[in-house]
Coordinates of all heavy atoms in Angstrom, one line a residue:
M1 N 1.1 -5.1 11.3 CA 0.4 -5.4 12.5 C -0.9 -4.6 12.6 O -0.9 -3.5 12.2 CB 1.3 -5.1 13.7 CG 0.6 -5.4 15.0 SD 1.7 -5.2 16.5 CE 2.3 -6.9 16.5
D2 N -2.0 -5.2 13.0 CA -3.2 -4.5 13.2 C -3.2 -3.4 14.2 O -2.5 -3.5 15.2 CB -4.3 -5.5 13.6 CG -4.6 -6.5 12.5 OD1 -4.5 -6.2 11.3 OD2 -5.0 -7.7 12.9
P3 N -3.9 -2.3 13.9 CA -3.9 -1.2 14.8 C -4.5 -1.5 16.2 O -4.2 -0.9 17.2 CB -4.7 -0.1 14.1 CG -4.7 -0.5 12.7 CD -4.6 -2.0 12.7
L4 N -5.5 -2.5 16.2 CA -6.1 -2.9 17.5 C -5.7 -4.3 17.7 O -5.7 -5.2 16.9 CB -7.6 -2.9 17.3 CG -8.3 -1.5 17.2 CD1 -9.8 -1.6 16.9 CD2 -8.0 -0.7 18.4
T5 N -5.3 -4.6 19.0 CA -4.9 -6.0 19.3 C -6.1 -6.7 20.0 O -6.6 -6.2 21.0 CB -3.7 -5.9 20.4 OG1 -2.6 -5.2 19.7 CG2 -3.2 -7.3 20.7
L6 N -6.5 -7.8 19.3 CA -7.6 -8.5 19.8 C -7.1 -9.7 20.6 O -6.2 -10.5 20.1 CB -8.4 -9.0 18.6 CG -9.0 -7.9 17.7 CD1 -9.8 -8.6 16.6 CD2 -9.8 -6.9 18.5
Q7 N -7.6 -9.9 21.8 CA -7.1 -11.0 22.7 C -8.0 -12.2 22.5 O -9.1 -12.1 22.2 CB -7.2 -10.5 24.2 CG -6.4 -9.3 24.5 CD -6.7 -8.8 25.9 OE1 -7.2 -9.5 26.7 NE2 -6.4 -7.5 26.1
P8 N -7.4 -13.4 22.7 CA -8.2 -14.6 22.6 C -9.3 -14.6 23.6 O -9.2 -14.0 24.7 CB -7.2 -15.7 23.0 CG -5.8 -15.1 22.8 CD -6.0 -13.7 23.0
G9 N -10.4 -15.2 23.3 CA -11.5 -15.3 24.2 C -12.5 -14.2 24.1 O -13.3 -14.0 25.0
G10 N -12.4 -13.4 23.0 CA -13.3 -12.2 22.9 C -14.2 -12.4 21.6 O -13.9 -13.3 20.8
A11 N -15.1 -11.5 21.4 CA -16.0 -11.6 20.2 C -16.2 -10.1 19.8 O -16.9 -9.3 20.5 CB -17.3 -12.2 20.6
W12 N -15.7 -9.8 18.6 CA -15.8 -8.4 18.1 C -16.4 -8.4 16.7 O -16.0 -9.2 15.9 CB -14.4 -7.8 18.0 CG -13.7 -7.8 19.3 CD1 -13.6 -6.9 20.3 CD2 -12.8 -8.9 19.7 NE1 -12.8 -7.3 21.3 CE2 -12.3 -8.5 21.0 CE3 -12.4 -10.1 19.2 CZ2 -11.4 -9.3 21.7 CZ3 -11.5 -10.9 19.9 CH2 -11.1 -10.5 21.1
S13 N -17.3 -7.6 16.5 CA -18.0 -7.5 15.2 C -18.8 -6.2 15.1 O -19.2 -5.6 16.1 CB -18.9 -8.7 15.0 OG -19.5 -8.6 13.7
L14 N -19.0 -5.8 13.8 CA -19.9 -4.7 13.6 C -21.4 -5.2 13.4 O -22.2 -4.4 13.0 CB -19.5 -3.8 12.4 CG -18.2 -3.1 12.7 CD1 -17.8 -2.2 11.5 CD2 -18.2 -2.2 13.9
R15 N -21.6 -6.5 13.7 CA -22.9 -7.1 13.8 C -23.0 -7.7 15.2 O -22.1 -8.1 15.8 CB -23.0 -8.2 12.7 CG -23.0 -7.6 11.3 CD -23.4 -8.6 10.3 NE -24.8 -8.9 10.5 CZ -25.5 -9.7 9.8 NH1 -25.0 -10.2 8.7 NH2 -26.8 -9.9 10.0
L16 N -24.3 -7.7 15.6 CA -24.5 -8.2 17.0 C -24.3 -9.7 16.9 O -24.9 -10.4 16.1 CB -26.0 -7.9 17.4 CG -26.4 -8.3 18.8 CD1 -25.5 -7.6 19.8 CD2 -27.9 -8.0 19.0
L17 N -23.5 -10.3 17.8 CA -23.1 -11.7 17.7 C -23.9 -12.5 18.7 O -24.1 -13.7 18.5 CB -21.6 -11.9 18.0 CG -20.7 -11.2 17.0 CD1 -19.2 -11.3 17.5 CD2 -20.9 -11.8 15.6
R18 N -24.3 -11.9 19.8 CA -25.0 -12.6 20.9 C -26.3 -11.8 21.3 O -26.1 -10.6 21.6 CB -24.2 -12.7 22.1 CG -22.9 -13.6 21.9 CD -22.1 -13.6 23.2 NE -22.8 -14.1 24.4 CZ -22.9 -13.4 25.5 NH1 -22.3 -12.3 25.7 NH2 -23.6 -13.9 26.5
A19 N -27.4 -12.4 21.3 CA -28.6 -11.7 21.7 C -28.5 -11.2 23.2 O -29.1 -10.1 23.5 CB -29.8 -12.6 21.6
A20 N -27.7 -11.8 24.0 CA -27.6 -11.4 25.4 C -26.8 -10.1 25.5 O -26.8 -9.5 26.6 CB -27.0 -12.5 26.2
Y21 N -26.0 -9.8 24.5 CA -25.2 -8.6 24.6 C -26.0 -7.3 24.3 O -26.7 -7.2 23.3 CB -24.0 -8.6 23.5 CG -23.1 -7.4 23.6 CD1 -22.2 -7.3 24.6 CD2 -23.2 -6.4 22.6 CE1 -21.4 -6.1 24.7 CE2 -22.4 -5.3 22.6 CZ -21.5 -5.2 23.7 OH -20.7 -4.1 23.7
T22 N -25.9 -6.4 25.2 CA -26.7 -5.2 25.1 C -25.9 -3.9 25.0 O -26.5 -2.8 25.0 CB -27.7 -5.0 26.3 OG1 -26.9 -5.0 27.5 CG2 -28.7 -6.2 26.4
G23 N -24.6 -4.0 24.9 CA -23.7 -2.8 24.8 C -23.6 -2.3 23.4 O -24.1 -2.9 22.4
P24 N -22.7 -1.3 23.2 CA -22.5 -0.7 21.9 C -21.5 -1.6 21.1 O -20.8 -2.5 21.7 CB -21.8 0.6 22.3 CG -21.2 0.4 23.6 CD -22.1 -0.6 24.3
A25 N -21.4 -1.3 19.8 CA -20.4 -2.0 19.0 C -19.0 -1.4 19.1 O -18.1 -2.2 19.3 CB -20.9 -1.9 17.5
V26 N -18.9 -0.1 19.0 CA -17.6 0.5 19.0 C -17.8 1.9 19.6 O -18.9 2.5 19.7 CB -17.0 0.7 17.6 CG1 -16.6 -0.6 17.0 CG2 -17.9 1.5 16.7
Q27 N -16.7 2.5 20.1 CA -16.6 3.9 20.4 C -15.8 4.6 19.3 O -14.7 4.1 19.0 CB -15.9 4.1 21.8 CG -15.9 5.5 22.2 CD -15.2 5.7 23.6 OE1 -14.1 5.4 23.8 NE2 -16.1 6.1 24.6
V28 N -16.4 5.6 18.7 CA -15.9 6.3 17.6 C -15.3 7.6 18.0 O -15.9 8.3 18.8 CB -16.9 6.4 16.5 CG1 -16.5 7.3 15.3 CG2 -17.4 5.1 16.0
R29 N -14.2 8.0 17.4 CA -13.6 9.3 17.5 C -13.9 10.1 16.3 O -13.7 9.6 15.1 CB -12.1 9.3 17.7 CG -11.4 10.6 17.8 CD -9.9 10.5 18.0 NE -9.3 9.9 16.9 CZ -8.9 10.5 15.7 NH1 -9.2 11.7 15.5 NH2 -8.3 9.8 14.8
R30 N -14.5 11.3 16.4 CA -14.8 12.2 15.3 C -13.6 13.0 15.0 O -13.0 13.6 15.9 CB -16.0 13.0 15.7 CG -16.5 14.0 14.7 CD -17.8 14.7 15.1 NE -17.7 15.3 16.5 CZ -18.8 15.5 17.2 NH1 -20.0 15.2 16.7 NH2 -18.7 16.0 18.4
S31 N -13.2 13.1 13.7 CA -12.0 13.8 13.3 C -12.1 15.3 13.5 O -11.1 16.0 13.8 CB -11.7 13.5 11.8 OG -12.7 14.0 11.0
S32 N -13.3 15.9 13.4 CA -13.4 17.4 13.5 C -13.0 17.9 14.9 O -12.4 19.0 14.9 CB -14.8 17.8 13.2 OG -15.7 17.3 14.1
D33 N -13.3 17.2 15.9 CA -13.0 17.7 17.3 C -12.5 16.7 18.3 O -12.3 16.9 19.4 CB -14.2 18.4 17.9 CG -15.4 17.5 18.0 OD1 -15.3 16.3 17.7 OD2 -16.4 18.0 18.5
N34 N -12.2 15.5 17.8 CA -11.7 14.3 18.6 C -12.7 13.9 19.7 O -12.3 13.2 20.6 CB -10.4 14.6 19.2 CG -9.3 14.7 18.1 OD1 -9.3 13.9 17.1 ND2 -8.4 15.6 18.2
A35 N -14.0 14.3 19.6 CA -15.0 13.8 20.5 C -15.2 12.3 20.3 O -15.0 11.8 19.2 CB -16.3 14.6 20.3
L36 N -15.6 11.6 21.4 CA -15.8 10.2 21.4 C -17.3 9.9 21.6 O -18.0 10.6 22.4 CB -15.0 9.5 22.5 CG -13.5 9.6 22.4 CD1 -12.9 9.0 23.6 CD2 -13.0 8.9 21.1
E37 N -17.8 8.9 20.9 CA -19.2 8.5 21.2 C -19.4 7.0 20.9 O -18.8 6.5 19.9 CB -20.2 9.3 20.3 CG -21.6 8.9 20.6 CD -22.6 9.9 20.0 OE1 -22.3 11.1 20.1 OE2 -23.6 9.5 19.5
D38 N -20.1 6.3 21.7 CA -20.5 4.9 21.5 C -21.5 4.8 20.4 O -22.5 5.6 20.4 CB -21.0 4.3 22.8 CG -20.0 4.0 23.8 OD1 -18.8 4.0 23.5 OD2 -20.3 3.8 25.0
I39 N -21.3 3.9 19.5 CA -22.2 3.6 18.4 C -22.7 2.2 18.6 O -21.9 1.3 18.7 CB -21.6 3.8 17.0 CG1 -21.0 5.2 16.8 CG2 -22.7 3.5 15.9 CD1 -22.0 6.3 16.9
A40 N -24.0 2.0 18.7 CA -24.6 0.7 19.0 C -25.0 0.0 17.7 O -24.6 0.3 16.6 CB -25.8 1.0 19.9
F41 N -25.9 -1.0 17.9 CA -26.5 -1.7 16.8 C -27.9 -1.3 16.6 O -28.6 -0.8 17.5 CB -26.5 -3.2 17.2 CG -25.1 -3.8 17.5 CD1 -24.7 -3.9 18.8 CD2 -24.3 -4.2 16.4 CE1 -23.5 -4.4 19.1 CE2 -23.0 -4.7 16.7 CZ -22.6 -4.8 18.0
D42 N -28.4 -1.4 15.3 CA -29.8 -1.1 15.0 C -30.7 -2.2 15.5 O -30.2 -3.2 16.0 CB -30.0 -0.7 13.6 CG -29.7 -1.8 12.6 OD1 -29.7 -3.0 13.0 OD2 -29.5 -1.5 11.4
A43 N -32.0 -2.1 15.2 CA -32.9 -3.1 15.6 C -32.7 -4.4 15.0 O -33.2 -5.4 15.5 CB -34.4 -2.6 15.3
H44 N -32.0 -4.5 13.9 CA -31.7 -5.7 13.2 C -30.4 -6.3 13.5 O -30.0 -7.3 12.9 CB -31.8 -5.5 11.6 CG -33.1 -4.9 11.2 ND1 -34.3 -5.7 11.2 CD2 -33.5 -3.7 10.8 CE1 -35.3 -4.9 10.8 NE2 -34.8 -3.7 10.6
G45 N -29.7 -5.7 14.5 CA -28.4 -6.2 14.9 C -27.2 -5.8 14.0 O -26.1 -6.4 14.1
H46 N -27.4 -4.8 13.2 CA -26.3 -4.3 12.3 C -25.8 -3.0 12.9 O -26.5 -2.3 13.7 CB -26.9 -4.0 10.9 CG -27.4 -5.1 10.2 ND1 -28.8 -5.3 10.0 CD2 -26.8 -6.2 9.7 CE1 -29.0 -6.5 9.4 NE2 -27.8 -7.0 9.2
F47 N -24.6 -2.7 12.6 CA -23.9 -1.4 13.0 C -24.9 -0.3 12.6 O -25.4 -0.2 11.5 CB -22.6 -1.3 12.3 CG -21.9 0.0 12.6 CD1 -21.3 0.2 13.9 CD2 -21.7 1.0 11.7 CE1 -20.6 1.3 14.2 CE2 -21.0 2.2 12.0 CZ -20.5 2.3 13.2
D48 N -25.1 0.6 13.6 CA -26.1 1.7 13.3 C -25.4 2.8 12.5 O -24.8 3.8 13.1 CB -26.6 2.3 14.7 CG -27.7 3.2 14.5 OD1 -27.9 3.8 13.4 OD2 -28.5 3.4 15.5
G49 N -25.4 2.7 11.2 CA -24.8 3.6 10.3 C -25.4 5.0 10.4 O -24.7 6.0 10.2
G50 N -26.7 5.1 10.7 CA -27.4 6.4 10.8 C -26.8 7.2 12.0 O -26.5 8.4 11.9
A51 N -26.7 6.5 13.2 CA -26.1 7.1 14.3 C -24.6 7.5 14.1 O -24.2 8.6 14.5 CB -26.2 6.2 15.5
F52 N -23.9 6.7 13.4 CA -22.5 7.0 13.1 C -22.4 8.2 12.2 O -21.7 9.1 12.5 CB -21.9 5.8 12.4 CG -20.5 6.1 11.8 CD1 -19.4 6.1 12.6 CD2 -20.4 6.3 10.4 CE1 -18.2 6.3 12.0 CE2 -19.2 6.6 9.9 CZ -18.0 6.6 10.7
S53 N -23.2 8.3 11.1 CA -23.2 9.4 10.2 C -23.6 10.7 10.9 O -23.1 11.8 10.7 CB -24.1 9.2 9.0 OG -23.6 8.1 8.2
A54 N -24.6 10.6 11.8 CA -25.1 11.8 12.5 C -24.0 12.3 13.4 O -23.8 13.5 13.6 CB -26.3 11.5 13.3
F55 N -23.2 11.4 14.1 CA -22.2 11.9 15.0 C -21.0 12.4 14.2 O -20.4 13.5 14.5 CB -21.7 10.7 15.8 CG -20.5 11.0 16.7 CD1 -20.6 11.9 17.7 CD2 -19.3 10.3 16.5 CE1 -19.5 12.2 18.5 CE2 -18.2 10.6 17.3 CZ -18.3 11.6 18.3
V56 N -20.5 11.7 13.2 CA -19.3 12.1 12.4 C -19.6 13.3 11.5 O -18.7 14.1 11.3 CB -18.8 10.9 11.6 CG1 -17.6 11.3 10.7 CG2 -18.3 9.8 12.6
G57 N -20.7 13.4 11.0 CA -21.0 14.5 10.1 C -20.2 14.4 8.8 O -20.1 13.3 8.2
S58 N -19.7 15.5 8.3 CA -18.9 15.5 7.1 C -17.4 15.1 7.2 O -16.7 15.0 6.3 CB -19.0 16.9 6.4 OG -18.4 17.8 7.2
G59 N -17.1 14.8 8.5 CA -15.7 14.4 8.8 C -15.5 12.9 8.7 O -16.3 12.2 8.1
D60 N -14.5 12.5 9.3 CA -14.1 11.0 9.4 C -14.3 10.5 10.8 O -14.3 11.2 11.8 CB -12.7 10.8 9.0 CG -12.4 11.2 7.5 OD1 -13.3 10.9 6.6 OD2 -11.4 11.8 7.3
G61 N -14.6 9.2 10.8 CA -14.7 8.5 12.1 C -13.7 7.4 12.2 O -13.4 6.7 11.3
F62 N -13.1 7.2 13.4 CA -12.1 6.3 13.7 C -12.5 5.5 15.0 O -13.0 6.0 15.9 CB -10.8 7.0 13.9 CG -10.3 7.8 12.8 CD1 -10.7 9.1 12.6 CD2 -9.5 7.2 11.8 CE1 -10.3 9.8 11.4 CE2 -9.1 7.9 10.7 CZ -9.5 9.2 10.5
V63 N -12.1 4.2 15.0 CA -12.4 3.3 16.1 C -11.4 3.6 17.2 O -10.2 3.4 17.1 CB -12.4 1.8 15.7 CG1 -12.6 0.9 16.9 CG2 -13.4 1.5 14.6
H64 N -11.9 4.0 18.4 CA -11.1 4.2 19.6 C -11.2 2.9 20.4 O -10.2 2.4 20.9 CB -11.7 5.3 20.4 CG -10.9 5.5 21.7 ND1 -11.3 4.8 22.8 CD2 -9.9 6.3 22.0 CE1 -10.5 5.2 23.8 NE2 -9.6 6.1 23.3
T65 N -12.4 2.3 20.5 CA -12.7 1.1 21.3 C -13.6 0.2 20.5 O -14.7 0.6 20.0 CB -13.3 1.4 22.7 OG1 -12.5 2.3 23.4 CG2 -13.5 0.1 23.5
W66 N -13.2 -1.1 20.4 CA -14.1 -2.1 19.8 C -14.5 -3.0 20.9 O -13.7 -3.7 21.5 CB -13.3 -2.8 18.7 CG -14.1 -3.6 17.7 CD1 -15.5 -3.7 17.7 CD2 -13.6 -4.3 16.6 NE1 -15.9 -4.5 16.6 CE2 -14.7 -4.9 15.9 CE3 -12.4 -4.6 16.1 CZ2 -14.6 -5.7 14.8 CZ3 -12.2 -5.4 15.0 CH2 -13.4 -5.9 14.3
Y67 N -15.8 -3.0 21.2 CA -16.3 -3.7 22.4 C -16.4 -5.2 22.2 O -16.9 -5.6 21.2 CB -17.6 -3.1 22.9 CG -17.5 -1.7 23.3 CD1 -17.9 -0.6 22.6 CD2 -16.9 -1.4 24.6 CE1 -17.8 0.7 23.0 CE2 -16.8 -0.1 25.0 CZ -17.2 1.0 24.2 OH -17.1 2.3 24.7
D68 N -15.9 -5.9 23.2 CA -16.0 -7.3 23.3 C -17.4 -7.8 23.6 O -17.9 -7.5 24.7 CB -15.0 -7.9 24.3 CG -15.1 -9.4 24.5 OD1 -15.6 -10.1 23.7 OD2 -14.5 -9.8 25.6
Q69 N -18.1 -8.5 22.7 CA -19.4 -9.0 23.0 C -19.5 -10.3 23.7 O -20.6 -10.8 24.0 CB -20.2 -9.1 21.6 CG -20.3 -7.8 20.8 CD -21.1 -8.0 19.6 OE1 -22.1 -8.7 19.5 NE2 -20.6 -7.5 18.5
S70 N -18.4 -10.9 24.0 CA -18.4 -12.2 24.6 C -18.8 -12.2 26.1 O -19.1 -13.2 26.7 CB -17.0 -12.8 24.6 OG -16.1 -12.2 25.5
G71 N -18.7 -11.0 26.7 CA -18.9 -10.9 28.2 C -17.6 -11.0 29.0 O -17.7 -10.9 30.2
N72 N -16.5 -11.2 28.3 CA -15.2 -11.3 29.0 C -14.5 -10.0 29.2 O -13.5 -9.9 29.9 CB -14.3 -12.3 28.2 CG -14.8 -13.7 28.2 OD1 -15.4 -14.1 29.1 ND2 -14.5 -14.4 27.1
G73 N -15.1 -8.9 28.7 CA -14.5 -7.6 28.9 C -13.2 -7.3 28.2 O -12.4 -6.5 28.6
R74 N -12.9 -8.1 27.1 CA -11.6 -7.9 26.4 C -11.8 -6.9 25.3 O -11.6 -7.2 24.1 CB -11.2 -9.3 25.9 CG -10.8 -10.2 27.0 CD -10.2 -11.5 26.5 NE -9.6 -12.2 27.6 CZ -10.1 -13.4 28.1 NH1 -11.1 -13.9 27.5 NH2 -9.5 -14.0 29.1
H75 N -12.1 -5.7 25.6 CA -12.3 -4.6 24.6 C -11.0 -4.3 24.0 O -9.9 -4.3 24.7 CB -12.9 -3.4 25.3 CG -14.1 -3.7 26.1 ND1 -15.2 -4.3 25.6 CD2 -14.4 -3.4 27.4 CE1 -16.1 -4.4 26.6 NE2 -15.6 -3.9 27.7
A76 N -11.0 -4.0 22.7 CA -9.8 -3.6 22.0 C -9.8 -2.1 22.0 O -10.7 -1.5 21.4 CB -9.8 -4.2 20.6
V77 N -8.7 -1.5 22.5 CA -8.6 -0.1 22.7 C -7.4 0.4 22.0 O -6.3 -0.1 22.2 CB -8.6 0.4 24.1 CG1 -8.5 1.9 24.3 CG2 -9.9 -0.2 24.9
Q78 N -7.5 1.5 21.2 CA -6.4 2.1 20.6 C -6.4 3.6 20.9 O -7.3 4.3 20.3 CB -6.3 1.9 19.0 CG -5.2 2.5 18.3 CD -3.8 2.2 18.9 OE1 -3.3 2.9 19.7 NE2 -3.3 1.0 18.5
T79 N -5.6 4.1 21.8 CA -5.6 5.5 22.2 C -4.7 6.4 21.3 O -4.9 7.6 21.2 CB -5.1 5.7 23.6 OG1 -3.8 5.1 23.8 CG2 -6.1 5.0 24.6
N80 N -3.8 5.7 20.5 CA -3.0 6.5 19.6 C -3.8 6.8 18.3 O -4.1 5.9 17.5 CB -1.7 5.6 19.2 CG -0.8 6.3 18.3 OD1 -1.1 7.3 17.6 ND2 0.5 5.9 18.3
T81 N -4.1 8.1 18.2 CA -5.0 8.5 17.1 C -4.5 8.1 15.7 O -5.2 7.9 14.7 CB -5.4 10.0 17.1 OG1 -4.2 10.7 17.1 CG2 -6.1 10.3 18.4
A82 N -3.1 8.1 15.5 CA -2.5 7.8 14.2 C -2.7 6.3 13.9 O -2.5 6.0 12.7 CB -1.1 8.2 14.3
R83 N -3.0 5.5 14.9 CA -3.2 4.0 14.6 C -4.6 3.6 14.7 O -4.9 2.4 14.5 CB -2.3 3.3 15.6 CG -0.8 3.5 15.4 CD 0.1 2.7 16.3 NE -0.2 1.3 16.3 CZ 0.3 0.4 15.5 NH1 1.0 0.8 14.5 NH2 -0.1 -0.9 15.6
Q84 N -5.5 4.4 14.9 CA -7.0 4.1 14.9 C -7.5 3.8 13.5 O -7.3 4.6 12.6 CB -7.8 5.1 15.6 CG -7.5 5.3 17.1 CD -8.2 6.5 17.7 OE1 -8.7 7.4 17.0 NE2 -8.2 6.5 19.0
P85 N -8.1 2.6 13.4 CA -8.7 2.3 12.1 C -9.9 3.2 11.7 O -10.7 3.5 12.6 CB -9.2 0.8 12.2 CG -9.2 0.5 13.6 CD -8.3 1.5 14.3
Q86 N -10.0 3.6 10.5 CA -11.1 4.5 10.0 C -12.3 3.6 9.6 O -12.1 2.5 9.1 CB -10.6 5.3 8.8 CG -11.7 6.3 8.4 CD -11.1 7.1 7.2 OE1 -10.0 7.1 6.8 NE2 -12.0 8.0 6.7
I87 N -13.5 4.1 9.9 CA -14.7 3.5 9.5 C -15.3 4.3 8.4 O -15.4 5.5 8.4 CB -15.8 3.4 10.6 CG1 -15.3 2.6 11.8 CG2 -17.1 2.9 10.1 CD1 -16.3 2.5 12.9
A88 N -15.6 3.6 7.3 CA -16.2 4.3 6.1 C -17.5 3.6 5.7 O -17.5 2.3 5.6 CB -15.2 4.3 5.0
L89 N -18.6 4.3 5.6 CA -19.8 3.7 5.1 C -20.0 3.8 3.6 O -19.6 4.9 3.1 CB -21.0 4.3 5.9 CG -21.0 4.3 7.4 CD1 -22.2 5.0 7.9 CD2 -21.0 2.8 7.8
N90 N -20.5 2.8 3.0 CA -20.7 2.9 1.5 C -22.2 2.8 1.3 O -22.9 1.9 1.8 CB -20.0 1.8 0.8 CG -18.8 2.2 0.2 OD1 -18.6 3.4 -0.1 ND2 -17.9 1.3 -0.2

């Protein structure tokens, strides 16, 4: 089973899906101190890897909240740190 439960009627992606959406892509938890920060999209509508790397530093980043871009507010939230999916940039 997926660590985040996605509900019907939502839109989740690490790319901007709707020009009308102005919120962040995900809320990331930093492994070093468990701090949370919203990571948005860059000017081209892609996940802002620079902001992610600056926040996470040499540690790991995990998805706490994946924001619904549909406007329906169906954000996928995982508060259990052991079940949060890890984000890795290549």
Side-chain angles (χ1 to χ4, degrees):
M1 176 173 275
D2 292 330
L4 294 173
T5 302
L6 304 178
Q7 301 174 17
W12 307 269
S13 180
L14 294 180
R15 295 194 62 176
L16 186 63
L17 299 175
R18 295 177 57 235
Y21 181 74
T22 58
V26 292
Q27 184 177 64
V28 173
R29 178 182 60 85
R30 179 171 53 202
S31 63
S32 62
D33 61 359
N34 292 322
L36 298 173
E37 183 163 319
D38 286 343
I39 306 296
F41 301 99
D42 65 17
H44 303 288
H46 300 108
F47 179 72
D48 192 340
F52 170 79
S53 294
F55 173 65
V56 173
S58 62
D60 295 318
F62 299 87
V63 177
H64 178 276
T65 304
W66 199 358
Y67 293 106
D68 174 17
Q69 297 181 46
S70 73
N72 293 329
R74 294 188 169 112
H75 309 307
V77 179
Q78 180 51 265
T79 58
N80 181 338
T81 59
R83 294 183 51 86
Q84 291 172 345
Q86 183 176 358
I87 296 180
L89 300 180
N90 260 340

